[in-house]
Amino acid sequence: MVKVYVSLCEKGVRNFNTVPKSLQEQVRTQIEADGYKINEDGTVVVA
């Protein structure tokens, strides 16, 4: 599931703030490893 949420967030389909709390830390780690940044409002942009 982490890969699915990462992909959707990076494509702008899903907001990071809507990811279940239990998965947010894993998703955040992978998004940052892929070279993206999570904004305060939950949007994900290229770092």
Side-chain angles (χ1 to χ4, degrees):
M1 279 309 293
V2 171
K3 289 181 183 180
V4 172
Y5 282 118
V6 168
S7 176
L8 292 174
C9 287
E10 289 176 353
K11 291 177 183 174
V13 175
R14 182 172 281 271
N15 187 296
F16 177 77
N17 294 333
T18 65
V19 173
K21 296 284 183 197
S22 60
L23 297 175
Q24 279 190 356
E25 210 41 56
Q26 291 174 304
V27 173
R28 177 185 303 278
T29 301
Q30 188 59 51
I31 286 173
E32 291 173 352
D34 289 349
Y36 289 83
K37 175 184 160 195
I38 302 168
N39 294 323
E40 296 266 334
D41 63 358
T43 57
V44 176
V45 294
V46 177

